[in-house]
Amino acid sequence: MASAEQLRTRKRTPPFPKRQLTILALCRICEPIAFMSIFPYVYFMIEDFKITNNKDQIAVYAGMVTSAFAFAEFSSGVPWGRLSDNIGRKPVLLFGLAGTALSMIMFGFARSFPVALLARALGGLLNGNIGVLQTTVAEMVTVKEHQPRAYTIMPFVWCLGSILGPALGGALARPARPEGYPSIFLPGSIWDRFPYLLPNLVCFVIVTFGVIIGILFLEETHAEKKHRRDPGVEAGRWILSKFTLCKCIEPKHSRCEKTSDPEEVLSLLGEYEQPPGYRTSEGSPRLPSTPTAEPEDELSLNSNHSPLRVRPAVTKAFTRQVILNIIGYGILAYHTMTFDAMLPTLLASGRTEHRENWSLPFKFVSGYGMSTKQIGGVLAIQGVYSMVSTVFFFPFITHRIGALKLFRVISLSYPILYITTPYLALLPDSLRIAGVYFVVIWKCTFATMAYPSNAILLTNSAPSLLMLGTINGVAASTASLSRAFGPTVSGFLFSAGLQLGYSGLAWWCSAIISIAGAVISLSMSDKGGRMDPDEKDEDTEPAFEDHILDSNALECAFTAEARVDEFEADNPVG
């Protein structure tokens, strides 16, 4: 019917959820600060533990410390994802932040390798936020056109955290040592006995701030949980009302900018005469030919309880494209994590003057011999450029060529990066620092585009939002397993390479892994998911407005009204 089609075209596109994404970003930034802060000093921390006299073995233990978090996160990723499907996203996110804060304090007080390992493992075990975070963003952003913009926010926040974290860790580690701030943090004090407590204590305060922000202002996004009462958000609105001059606090029914006022929706009928059921409070008239039964409970559009939906079976959720995207994500996480773990070790490794055993192009050993502050500066610049790439390059390129083509191009280019990196240490002294920043910019450009591209592909390939928590939980566990093995395996390979005289051994092995990821990317497709208009079926969850403004329903309403008018004309009252 023409009128129904006109009504449907008048439906507005949902607004971009910038308020809730900003709050989510404030919670998210705490984790990269805490996670990345250990990279500048972990090499020296292992050295202080005195667990080995062979400096070539330090990379192995440093990789184990880095991997402990990811390995524990792998074991808990799926349970946290499934729990978020059952109790909501917000409680899981906040508990993960609290677990990170606890692990940072424990790591700061570690005076032995086992304690440091346990602290990192505890942080990973209590934190399942990677998958739940992706699910939360997917539930906030329901329009495909908003995805490139939305999926740059969390990588941008990670990049910002990767600036603050290494800078904080490099500047505050060993504050009582001569290279630190001995005039402020006196030798023999607690800062001398626990030389890595200060950066972890600062991280604890930052993460605690994130937990408070989340409790007060982060709203639930789960389709079946977002309408329940949230005392934390109510307290946050009350606090804001005390500090704002205008009463512009969002009402409760506008959670996550997804829910519409029923009266506003019904007013869209405009110049069209509303069906009798909407004109009065008596309900729709009964036609002689279509007897109806009284419903057991009155259906109210103002109800705070959303109707329950049937959750698809797990086997149906994990389609071929979902599985391919998860495998691609795991491979990407593996080789990018090996880069992040090996780069500080390469920068900290001393230069080798004895070149008689070298046999180029493969057999050589060389490093940069940088200090913690220098390494922290390099990683901070890496984070600055990552933000620029995330904000300006990714949305533009994704809009031009799409997420799938972009992911394929990057996947096919990664092997060249890993093959090239170890050779930059052979550059002349005047070009060595330039070589470091060249490879850092190269790596950042790839990483800031590969991860959000894969996230978009995975989200769009999911057949149902109700299973997205479980899907992202599996993806997060896969990535965590890769991140767990990545630094450990690369640490062993890096150490073995130094002993055998091959600095590039670990890098070239990562290149082989990235080739496998490139092959997987060629089998991926952006067709067939819930965001594909050609593939939407009965499992697609319609939005609230779709229930009210469905063209078929409106057509039936207009037809019913016509039949009522005919019936009244044929059977006049009185």
Side-chain angles (χ1 to χ4, degrees):
M1 197 170 186
S3 58
E5 293 299 326
Q6 292 173 2
L7 279 174
R8 193 164 181 82
T9 57
R10 289 172 59 185
K11 250 179 39 170
R12 294 179 299 173
T13 300
F16 187 78
K18 57 184 177 180
R19 178 176 178 271
Q20 279 301 298
L21 281 174
T22 301
I23 295 170
L24 187 64
L26 290 176
C27 298
R28 173 60 170 165
I29 195 172
C30 306
E31 292 184 297
I33 291 175
F35 183 79
M36 296 293 291
S37 67
I38 78 165
F39 281 93
Y41 63 77
V42 65
Y43 181 92
F44 303 94
M45 187 181 198
I46 299 299
E47 193 175 41
D48 289 346
F49 288 154
K50 295 180 171 55
I51 56 178
T52 178
N53 294 323
N54 186 355
K55 289 195 173 184
D56 293 342
Q57 292 292 323
I58 292 179
V60 177
Y61 293 100
M64 292 174 67
V65 170
T66 307
S67 299
F69 180 93
F71 191 78
E73 193 175 41
F74 154 73
S75 63
S76 62
V78 174
W80 283 123
R82 297 188 66 178
L83 184 64
S84 76
D85 282 339
N86 293 325
I87 69 172
R89 319 301 182 196
K90 180 176 178 177
V92 175
L93 288 171
L94 295 181
F95 191 87
L97 284 175
T100 299
L102 177 64
S103 70
M104 294 306 293
I105 283 292
M106 188 174 176
F107 192 74
F109 279 106
R111 300 186 68 176
S112 65
F113 179 73
V115 176
L117 206 63
L118 179 63
R120 295 291 290 173
L122 182 65
L125 193 65
L126 299 178
N127 191 324
N129 283 1
I130 295 179
V132 180
L133 188 81
Q134 296 284 12
T135 305
T136 304
V137 173
E139 290 173 334
M140 288 181 180
V141 181
T142 58
V143 179
K144 197 170 185 178
E145 289 74 15
H146 290 165
Q147 286 184 328
R149 180 182 173 191
Y151 279 90
T152 60
I153 294 176
M154 296 308 142
F156 174 85
V157 168
W158 181 272
C159 295
L160 182 60
S162 69
I163 298 172
L164 301 176
L168 184 151
L172 300 183
R174 302 165 127 185
R177 304 286 176 88
E179 67 272 16
Y181 316 96
S183 60
I184 302 176
F185 303 94
L186 302 178
S189 63
I190 187 174
W191 312 111
D192 193 19
R193 295 196 304 273
F194 302 98
Y196 306 101
L197 174 61
L198 183 58
N200 286 279
L201 189 61
V202 172
C203 288
F204 173 83
V205 174
I206 294 173
V207 175
T208 302
F209 173 77
V211 173
I212 295 173
I213 291 294
I215 291 174
L216 295 178
F217 304 112
L218 183 63
E219 297 176 353
E220 181 59 63
T221 61
H222 191 287
E224 297 174 355
K225 312 295 181 184
K226 63 184 179 182
H227 297 289
R228 64 188 176 188
R229 181 173 176 267
D230 190 334
V233 172
E234 291 176 358
R237 291 199 181 102
W238 180 84
I239 293 172
L240 287 180
S241 69
K242 300 301 179 182
F243 292 94
T244 53
L245 297 178
C246 60
K247 301 298 182 179
C248 55
I249 310 301
E250 284 187 293
K252 182 176 180 180
H253 68 265
S254 63
R255 288 181 181 273
C256 303
E257 300 156 1
K258 291 182 180 179
T259 313
S260 302
D261 185 358
E263 295 298 325
E264 180 183 350
V265 174
L266 294 178
S267 69
L268 292 176
L269 291 172
E271 70 257 26
Y272 306 101
E273 188 180 29
Q274 298 177 1
Y278 293 114
R279 286 201 300 259
T280 70
S281 58
E282 298 174 358
S284 300
R286 299 187 183 184
L287 303 179
S289 58
T290 56
T292 58
E294 289 288 344
E296 294 181 5
D297 299 310
E298 182 181 359
L299 177 63
S300 173
L301 292 174
N302 294 315
S303 174
N304 286 335
H305 302 283
S306 59
L308 295 177
R309 299 166 180 161
V310 178
R311 185 169 297 161
V314 174
T315 54
K316 190 174 182 180
F318 288 91
T319 63
R320 181 176 182 272
Q321 285 304 314
V322 168
I323 294 173
L324 286 175
N325 278 288
I326 290 175
I327 294 174
Y329 182 38
I331 292 175
L332 177 68
Y334 176 88
H335 61 73
T336 55
M337 191 62 189
T338 61
F339 188 103
D340 290 335
M342 289 190 296
L343 182 63
T345 305
L346 178 65
L347 298 179
S349 300
R351 299 181 59 180
T352 302
E353 301 296 336
H354 305 288
R355 302 191 176 189
E356 57 273 10
N357 294 326
W358 288 17
S359 180
L360 295 175
F362 300 113
K363 191 173 184 180
F364 63 91
V365 175
S366 185
Y368 288 87
M370 291 184 174
S371 66
T372 57
K373 290 185 178 179
Q374 289 175 315
I375 296 173
V378 170
L379 297 180
I381 292 176
Q382 169 182 294
V384 172
Y385 176 77
S386 296
M387 288 196 302
V388 174
S389 178
T390 300
V391 173
F392 296 104
F393 297 162
F394 174 74
F396 175 78
I397 297 177
T398 306
H399 180 72
R400 287 298 182 93
I401 67 175
L404 178 61
K405 289 183 180 179
L406 178 59
F407 186 74
R408 284 176 177 170
V409 169
I410 294 174
S411 297
L412 293 170
S413 305
Y414 256 122
I416 303 174
L417 171 64
Y418 295 118
I419 293 172
T420 306
T421 298
Y423 289 103
L424 297 178
L426 302 179
L427 292 173
D429 291 344
S430 59
L431 298 176
R432 284 165 64 85
I433 297 301
V436 170
Y437 288 116
F438 171 75
V439 75
V440 163
I441 289 174
W442 189 356
K443 174 260 180 185
C444 290
T445 303
F446 282 10
T448 54
M449 296 185 185
Y451 276 104
S453 296
N454 181 269
I456 290 175
L457 292 173
L458 179 61
T459 298
N460 292 348
S461 66
S464 170
L465 272 178
L466 294 179
M467 291 298 298
L468 197 54
T470 301
I471 291 173
N472 278 323
V474 173
S477 289
T478 303
S480 296
L481 181 63
S482 300
R483 292 189 180 103
F485 281 112
T488 302
V489 173
S490 64
F492 277 110
L493 292 173
F494 196 94
S495 178
L498 293 178
Q499 294 176 6
L500 296 173
Y502 293 90
S503 283
L505 179 62
W507 299 96
W508 300 330
C509 289
S510 293
I512 295 174
I513 300 298
S514 65
I515 290 173
V519 174
I520 292 292
S521 71
L522 297 176
S523 300
M524 292 181 181
S525 172
D526 54 3
K527 304 295 183 182
R530 63 182 181 84
M531 301 294 281
D532 184 4
D534 297 330
E535 298 291 336
K536 288 187 177 182
D537 53 21
E538 65 275 6
D539 293 323
T540 303
E541 302 89 21
F544 175 82
E545 297 91 335
D546 292 333
H547 287 294
I548 301 297
L549 298 178
D550 180 77
S551 59
N552 293 330
L554 285 171
E555 231 176 289
C556 292
F558 291 129
T559 303
E561 183 184 18
R563 293 177 64 183
V564 170
D565 292 339
E566 293 176 4
F567 177 77
E568 290 177 349
D570 295 338
N571 300 275
V573 179

